[in-house]
mmCIF file with all atom_site columns, all heavy atoms in Angstrom:
data_model
loop_
_atom_site.group_PDB
_atom_site.id
_atom_site.type_symbol
_atom_site.label_atom_id
_atom_site.label_alt_id
_atom_site.label_comp_id
_atom_site.label_asym_id
_atom_site.label_entity_id
_atom_site.label_seq_id
_atom_site.pdbx_PDB_ins_code
_atom_site.Cartn_x
_atom_site.Cartn_y
_atom_site.Cartn_z
_atom_site.occupancy
_atom_site.B_iso_or_equiv
_atom_site.pdbx_formal_charge
_atom_site.auth_seq_id
_atom_site.auth_comp_id
_atom_site.auth_asym_id
_atom_site.auth_atom_id
_atom_site.pdbx_PDB_model_num
ATOM 1  N N   . GLU A 1 13 ? 20.966 -1.580  5.370  1.00 58.00 ? 27 GLU A N   1
ATOM 2  C CA  . GLU A 1 13 ? 21.047 -2.511  6.507  1.00 58.00 ? 27 GLU A CA  1
ATOM 3  C C   . GLU A 1 13 ? 19.816 -2.476  7.414  1.00 58.00 ? 27 GLU A C   1
ATOM 4  O O   . GLU A 1 13 ? 19.642 -3.340  8.262  1.00 58.00 ? 27 GLU A O   1
ATOM 5  C CB  . GLU A 1 13 ? 22.338 -2.279  7.317  1.00 58.00 ? 27 GLU A CB  1
ATOM 6  C CG  . GLU A 1 13 ? 22.411 -0.967  8.054  1.00 58.00 ? 27 GLU A CG  1
ATOM 7  C CD  . GLU A 1 13 ? 23.325 0.018   7.312  1.00 58.00 ? 27 GLU A CD  1
ATOM 8  O OE1 . GLU A 1 13 ? 23.260 0.090   6.062  1.00 58.00 ? 27 GLU A OE1 1
ATOM 9  O OE2 . GLU A 1 13 ? 24.092 0.711   7.976  1.00 58.00 ? 27 GLU A OE2 1
ATOM 10 N N   . THR A 1 14 ? 18.962 -1.442  7.260  1.00 77.00 ? 28 THR A N   1
ATOM 11 C CA  . THR A 1 14 ? 17.748 -1.432  8.071  1.00 77.00 ? 28 THR A CA  1
ATOM 12 C C   . THR A 1 14 ? 16.620 -2.211  7.390  1.00 77.00 ? 28 THR A C   1
ATOM 13 O O   . THR A 1 14 ? 15.572 -2.441  7.989  1.00 77.00 ? 28 THR A O   1
ATOM 14 C CB  . THR A 1 14 ? 17.239 0.000   8.315  1.00 77.00 ? 28 THR A CB  1
ATOM 15 O OG1 . THR A 1 14 ? 16.832 0.540   7.067  1.00 77.00 ? 28 THR A OG1 1
ATOM 16 C CG2 . THR A 1 14 ? 18.305 0.871   8.951  1.00 77.00 ? 28 THR A CG2 1
ATOM 17 N N   . VAL A 1 15 ? 16.860 -2.605  6.161  1.00 83.00 ? 29 VAL A N   1
ATOM 18 C CA  . VAL A 1 15 ? 15.798 -3.256  5.398  1.00 83.00 ? 29 VAL A CA  1
ATOM 19 C C   . VAL A 1 15 ? 15.440 -4.618  5.996  1.00 83.00 ? 29 VAL A C   1
ATOM 20 O O   . VAL A 1 15 ? 14.270 -4.966  6.123  1.00 83.00 ? 29 VAL A O   1
ATOM 21 C CB  . VAL A 1 15 ? 16.207 -3.398  3.916  1.00 83.00 ? 29 VAL A CB  1
ATOM 22 C CG1 . VAL A 1 15 ? 15.228 -4.280  3.160  1.00 83.00 ? 29 VAL A CG1 1
ATOM 23 C CG2 . VAL A 1 15 ? 16.278 -2.025  3.265  1.00 83.00 ? 29 VAL A CG2 1
ATOM 24 N N   . ARG A 1 16 ? 16.465 -5.375  6.416  1.00 87.00 ? 30 ARG A N   1
ATOM 25 C CA  . ARG A 1 16 ? 16.188 -6.693  6.987  1.00 87.00 ? 30 ARG A CA  1
ATOM 26 C C   . ARG A 1 16 ? 15.290 -6.565  8.221  1.00 87.00 ? 30 ARG A C   1
ATOM 27 O O   . ARG A 1 16 ? 14.340 -7.320  8.396  1.00 87.00 ? 30 ARG A O   1
ATOM 28 C CB  . ARG A 1 16 ? 17.491 -7.406  7.360  1.00 87.00 ? 30 ARG A CB  1
ATOM 29 C CG  . ARG A 1 16 ? 17.266 -8.769  8.014  1.00 87.00 ? 30 ARG A CG  1
ATOM 30 C CD  . ARG A 1 16 ? 18.568 -9.546  8.221  1.00 87.00 ? 30 ARG A CD  1
ATOM 31 N NE  . ARG A 1 16 ? 18.354 -10.702 9.057  1.00 87.00 ? 30 ARG A NE  1
ATOM 32 C CZ  . ARG A 1 16 ? 18.487 -10.682 10.397 1.00 87.00 ? 30 ARG A CZ  1
ATOM 33 N NH1 . ARG A 1 16 ? 18.830 -9.568  11.016 1.00 87.00 ? 30 ARG A NH1 1
ATOM 34 N NH2 . ARG A 1 16 ? 18.266 -11.780 11.093 1.00 87.00 ? 30 ARG A NH2 1
ATOM 35 N N   . ARG A 1 17 ? 15.598 -5.574  9.050  1.00 89.00 ? 31 ARG A N   1
ATOM 36 C CA  . ARG A 1 17 ? 14.780 -5.376  10.250 1.00 89.00 ? 31 ARG A CA  1
ATOM 37 C C   . ARG A 1 17 ? 13.322 -5.083  9.877  1.00 89.00 ? 31 ARG A C   1
ATOM 38 O O   . ARG A 1 17 ? 12.394 -5.648  10.444 1.00 89.00 ? 31 ARG A O   1
ATOM 39 C CB  . ARG A 1 17 ? 15.358 -4.226  11.070 1.00 89.00 ? 31 ARG A CB  1
ATOM 40 C CG  . ARG A 1 17 ? 14.710 -4.067  12.415 1.00 89.00 ? 31 ARG A CG  1
ATOM 41 C CD  . ARG A 1 17 ? 15.203 -2.832  13.141 1.00 89.00 ? 31 ARG A CD  1
ATOM 42 N NE  . ARG A 1 17 ? 16.650 -2.814  13.243 1.00 89.00 ? 31 ARG A NE  1
ATOM 43 C CZ  . ARG A 1 17 ? 17.371 -1.738  13.599 1.00 89.00 ? 31 ARG A CZ  1
ATOM 44 N NH1 . ARG A 1 17 ? 16.767 -0.606  13.890 1.00 89.00 ? 31 ARG A NH1 1
ATOM 45 N NH2 . ARG A 1 17 ? 18.669 -1.811  13.664 1.00 89.00 ? 31 ARG A NH2 1
ATOM 46 N N   . ALA A 1 18 ? 13.148 -4.192  8.892  1.00 90.00 ? 32 ALA A N   1
ATOM 47 C CA  . ALA A 1 18 ? 11.791 -3.843  8.461  1.00 90.00 ? 32 ALA A CA  1
ATOM 48 C C   . ALA A 1 18 ? 11.074 -5.063  7.888  1.00 90.00 ? 32 ALA A C   1
ATOM 49 O O   . ALA A 1 18 ? 9.880  -5.270  8.116  1.00 90.00 ? 32 ALA A O   1
ATOM 50 C CB  . ALA A 1 18 ? 11.839 -2.724  7.434  1.00 90.00 ? 32 ALA A CB  1
#
Side-chain angles (χ1 to χ4, degrees):
Chain A
E27 67 257 42
T28 66
V29 170
R30 178 173 169 269
R31 188 186 306 167

